[in-house]
Amino acid sequence: MAELVYRPAIGLALTLFKAWDLKIDCKGSENIPRSGGAVLVSNHISYLDFIFNGLAALPQKRLVRFMAKESVFRHKVSGPLMRAMKHIPVDRNQGEAAYAHALDSLRSGEVIGVFPEATISQSFTLKSFKSGAARLAQEAGVPLVPMAVWGTQRLWTKGHPRNFKRSHTPITIRVGEAIEASRDKYAGALTRQLRERVQELLEAAQRAYPVRPKSPDDTWWMPAHLGGTAPTPEQLRAAEAH
């Protein structure tokens, strides 16, 4: 049943990307295993990241089941679609149910997509990682596959209007080599290793990105350390404290 809904949804997404004339550069898809369970772990800078993460798995003929906040499943349009595609709702007050659901899916050979930052990074830099992805991979005995996306924030991100025009926006995706989630390693140490690998992939995606801001008004999507005007992590923490 899930595939009957998932594959047409992919077709619709690809049609939209063509209409928007997105320039998608994806490298490393071969690092996603062709069979068996795996935890796909990505940075999070846009509401659309899960679509591009899923796109990276298509060359390996894999469909990714994403862990997403429960409110998405309550929406009258996205809710039925998310449930039909077997994505996993996460209620932050009752995370154990989502964890158990994801573990069952991994053990049955599914690829699970996780954003270990939990929320969109408005600084467009990596936030700290929660250890759930590492613990899931360890318990299920499956690899962690790190990846990074860049450019998706220019389409739709927190605090900025959507840009669904024919914008020729480049999207860069990098998938890294799988990390063995050894049970004899602390989940915290494995999470630090995972974050370092995602950081390397993010920097590689940024270096490969073919365009720079067109004008001073267009610097909002670049992080401060790369010369952009996105808020720094420190500025965001200070704003949250007030």
Side-chain angles (χ1 to χ4, degrees), residues 72-147:
V72 177
F73 291 78
R74 289 200 304 267
H75 190 276
K76 63 182 180 183
V77 176
S78 63
L81 280 173
M82 295 291 280
R83 281 189 290 275
M85 289 188 279
K86 287 170 60 179
H87 295 308
I88 300 169
V90 180
D91 181 341
R92 289 192 184 141
N93 298 319
Q94 296 177 311
E96 303 85 2
Y99 185 93
H101 186 165
L103 194 56
D104 285 346
S105 297
L106 288 168
R107 285 173 171 160
S108 66
E110 300 275 14
V111 178
I112 299 298
V114 178
F115 297 108
E117 296 167 277
T119 57
I120 287 173
S121 169
Q122 291 179 270
S123 66
F124 309 131
T125 61
L126 277 193
K127 299 163 73 172
S128 62
F129 275 23
K130 298 189 182 304
S131 63
R135 289 188 289 109
L136 272 172
Q138 285 179 310
E139 202 168 338
V142 302
L144 290 155
V145 181
M147 68 177 296

Side-chain angles (χ1 to χ4, degrees), residues 131 134-135 138 182-193:
S131 63
R135 289 188 289 109
Q138 285 179 310
S182 171
R183 281 186 178 232
D184 59 9
K185 204 167 190 176
Y186 286 116
L190 189 58
T191 300
R192 285 191 293 276
Q193 180 188 357

Side-chain angles (χ1 to χ4, degrees), residues 150-232:
W150 190 247
T152 58
Q153 74 274 33
R154 298 178 66 196
L155 299 176
W156 189 16
T157 193
K158 199 170 180 178
H160 293 275
R162 286 174 290 192
N163 173 22
F164 290 168
K165 300 192 291 287
R166 190 174 170 81
S167 57
H168 322 294
T169 302
I171 305 294
T172 305
I173 306 167
R174 293 292 181 266
V175 185
E177 292 181 6
I179 300 170
E180 185 189 346
S182 171
R183 281 186 178 232
D184 59 9
K185 204 167 190 176
Y186 286 116
L190 189 58
T191 300
R192 285 191 293 276
Q193 180 188 357
L194 182 62
R195 188 182 181 280
E196 286 168 11
R197 198 71 67 82
V198 173
Q199 178 66 40
E200 289 167 4
L201 292 165
L202 177 57
E203 290 172 7
Q206 289 167 338
R207 284 193 299 273
Y209 201 67
V211 301
R212 302 283 296 173
K214 297 188 290 288
S215 67
D217 294 335
D218 189 40
T219 56
W220 65 268
W221 56 270
M222 287 285 277
H225 75 277
L226 292 180
T229 52
T232 65

Side-chain angles (χ1 to χ4, degrees), residues 28-34 40 53 56-57 60 62 111 145 175-176:
S29 289
E30 68 278 3
N31 291 312
I32 298 169
R34 276 195 173 268
L40 194 62
N53 293 161
Q60 298 294 83
R62 302 306 302 271
V111 178
V145 181
V175 185

